[in-house]
Amino acid sequence: MSFSKTLESLEETGNLRHLPSSIDEGILDFSTNDYLGIAADKELAIKFIESIDDYRFSSSASRLLASHQNDYENLETLLAKEYGRPVLLFNSGYHANTGILPALTSDSKCLIVADKLVHASVLDGIILSRAEFRRFPHNDITSLRKIIESNSTHFDRIIVAVESIYSMDGDYAPLEKLLELKKEFPNIFLYLDEAHSFGVKGQHGLGMAQDSTFPTEWDMIVCPLGKAAASMGAFVVCKPEVKDFLVNKCRSLIFSTALPPLQIKWTLFAISHLFKMDQKRSHLENLNLKLTDILKSNFPNQNVTPSHIQPLIIGESRATQDLSNRLHKLGIKAMPIRKPTVPSGTERIRFSLSAAMKMSDLNKLNEAFEIINAKRIHY
C-alpha cells in the first residue's frame, strides 16, 4: 500500500493524526503531563536561570566519553541518596526501556512477562531483546502466576514488566501481590516503570515502589523525567552490579550523545523542589476526587478510578475526535486517544490533571459537559 493510501485509510476510520498547533489563550489544558505544575511555574524557571553560571548546551559525546561529568554525577548522587541505591541516567524513558531489556537478556536464558497495557517503549524493548516473552491480562495476578509456574524451571531469569500507574487508564498495579510472587519464585526480576507516579506518589514523590513493603525488592525502577519533574531524560534505580552491567551492555546508553549539562542542571534544580511539594501533591489528590465526581455525574455508566489520569471511554474513533472538538470550542483541550495507542473499541478522551489547576478549572469542565449533554449528544 502506498503512503497516500495508508493516510487515506487512516482518515476514513477517524485515526489520522496531526501535530497540534500551539495552545490557544484561555484554553484549559487537560492533556498535559505536568502533574505538579513545575513546567508552568515561571517564577521557578527564573530562579533557576539566576542560579546558574555555566551554560553548556551540549555534552558533545556519549556519557562514556563526555569530558564534563559533574552535573550527571550530582544528579545521580542526589537520587541515590533518596532511594538508598545506585542510580543511572538515561536520555529518555524510551531510551531506558528499549536499551535495558535487551541488555538484561543478553547474559542468560530469560523470559519476559509483561502486563498487556505496558507502554509501547517496553514492548519495543522486548522485541529488540529477541527474548521469549508472554503477556498477561491487565493486572491479572492469577494469570501471571500460571505463566511463571509453568516456566520457572526453564529460564534463568523471568523478568516481570509492569507500570505502577498505567498511562492510558490511570489505574494502579497490584505491587504488593507482585512482591509476594517474587518471594515464591527467586528467579523473578521485577521491572517497574514509574513514569506516571514519580513526583506524584510516595514519600517526597519518590513513587509507589518506595512506599511498598519491600522497596529494595524491585530489581529495576525506571523513572522518566518528562512528566512531574518537568524536564527530560530518565533514571533507573537498581543494584550496584546491575548499574555496572548496564554501563557495559546497554546500547542506548553507550551509543547516544548524553543530555546537555544545562538540562541536567535544570533537572537537579526541579527535583530538589519536587521533593518538597507535598502541598501540591495533596492539592492534586483533591483535584483527582473532584474529576471523579464530575465524570460519574455526567457519564454514570463509566467505570472511574480516582487518579490524576482518568479516561472517558467512547469506543469509536470519530466520536472520540468529535467530543474532543466540541470540548475545544468550549475552552477545553482534551485530546482523543485512538488505536493503536489503545485497543480498538476503547477509544477515549484522556483527562490528565496538574497541580497548577484550580477547582474552578474543573467546574469549567463540568459546565462544558453539561452543555454537550443538554444538546443530547451522548457518548
Side-chain angles (χ1 to χ4, degrees), residues 14-53:
N15 289 304
L16 185 65
R17 290 163 169 77
H18 303 278
L19 293 174
S21 57
S22 297
I23 190 169
D24 302 327
E25 287 295 327
I27 292 286
L28 279 172
D29 188 1
F30 282 90
S31 293
T32 180
N33 290 326
D34 182 22
Y35 298 134
L36 294 179
I38 294 176
D41 192 332
K42 293 181 180 179
E43 291 184 8
L44 196 63
I46 291 171
K47 287 181 181 178
F48 167 69
I49 292 170
E50 292 175 345
S51 72
I52 57 175
D53 55 11

Side-chain angles (χ1 to χ4, degrees), residues 92-202:
S92 69
Y94 203 95
H95 277 81
N97 286 328
T98 56
I100 293 172
L101 288 166
L104 291 177
T105 57
S106 66
D107 71 327
S108 56
K109 188 177 182 182
C110 294
L111 171 69
I112 303 176
V113 188
D115 188 290
K116 277 205 169 182
L117 296 188
V118 292
H119 192 262
S121 60
V122 176
L123 294 177
D124 288 352
I126 292 171
I127 292 169
L128 287 170
S129 76
R130 300 180 183 176
E132 289 192 48
F133 77 96
R134 310 279 190 276
R135 299 175 73 178
F136 62 95
H138 180 51
N139 280 345
D140 189 337
I141 295 296
T142 301
S143 295
L144 173 60
R145 175 187 288 278
K146 289 179 180 178
I147 294 172
I148 293 171
E149 285 176 341
S150 61
N151 289 281
S152 61
T153 59
H154 304 308
F155 294 90
D156 300 321
R157 184 182 300 136
I158 298 179
I159 300 172
V160 178
V162 299
E163 297 179 39
S164 53
I165 298 180
Y166 285 85
S167 60
M168 291 298 126
D169 291 77
D171 57 346
Y172 304 164
L175 300 190
E176 295 300 329
K177 292 181 180 179
L178 289 164
L179 289 171
E180 290 173 7
L181 271 180
K182 183 166 184 177
K183 287 182 182 178
E184 295 181 47
F185 302 94
N187 59 337
I188 284 181
F189 186 101
L190 291 179
Y191 188 102
L192 181 66
D193 189 316
E194 295 243 53
H196 298 275
S197 55
F198 175 72
V200 177
K201 296 292 184 180

Side-chain angles (χ1 to χ4, degrees), residues 181-370:
L181 271 180
K182 183 166 184 177
K183 287 182 182 178
E184 295 181 47
F185 302 94
N187 59 337
I188 284 181
F189 186 101
L190 291 179
Y191 188 102
L192 181 66
D193 189 316
E194 295 243 53
H196 298 275
S197 55
F198 175 72
V200 177
K201 296 292 184 180
Q203 186 176 13
H204 306 310
L206 292 175
M208 293 177 63
Q210 288 305 102
D211 275 5
S212 62
T213 306
F214 301 105
T216 57
E217 289 300 304
W218 296 97
D219 298 283
M220 182 72 63
I221 302 173
V222 181
C223 296
L225 294 162
K227 297 171 176 62
S231 187
M232 62 186 299
F235 66 90
V236 299
V237 183
C238 56
K239 296 178 181 178
E241 64 270 23
V242 176
K243 177 178 178 177
D244 292 340
F245 180 84
L246 293 177
V247 168
N248 286 275
K249 289 290 187 178
C250 186
R251 294 172 64 85
S252 64
L253 174 76
I254 296 169
F255 297 109
S256 291
T257 298
L259 289 173
L262 186 60
Q263 186 73 51
I264 300 299
K265 285 180 184 293
W266 162 250
T267 303
L268 180 62
F269 180 87
I271 286 180
S272 65
H273 285 79
L274 176 151
F275 291 152
K276 304 170 187 175
M277 291 182 171
D278 290 341
Q279 189 172 350
K280 285 184 177 290
R281 281 183 275 274
S282 178
H283 175 58
L284 184 62
E285 186 64 29
N286 290 331
L287 291 172
N288 299 346
L289 298 174
K290 175 83 170 179
L291 179 58
T292 299
D293 291 341
I294 289 172
L295 291 177
K296 283 182 177 179
S297 174
N298 289 280
F299 305 93
N301 294 326
Q302 289 279 327
N303 292 322
V304 181
T305 300
S307 175
H308 56 288
I309 302 167
Q310 296 195 32
L312 175 59
I313 307 297
I314 307 301
E316 196 275 323
S317 292
R318 287 197 178 279
T320 305
Q321 182 66 65
D322 177 64
L323 177 56
S324 177
N325 292 341
R326 291 178 185 276
L327 286 169
H328 191 271
K329 290 178 181 179
L330 295 170
I332 305 292
K333 179 186 177 185
M335 299 299 289
I337 308 296
R338 296 157 288 178
K339 66 177 184 181
T341 306
V342 294
S344 180
T346 69
E347 289 82 0
R348 67 197 63 187
I349 301 292
R350 175 185 181 269
F351 292 96
S352 183
L353 297 173
S354 169
M357 292 178 175
K358 303 173 182 177
M359 286 295 176
S360 58
D361 294 330
L362 292 183
N363 290 336
K364 184 174 181 179
L365 174 64
N366 187 52
E367 291 168 4
F369 282 143
E370 289 176 348

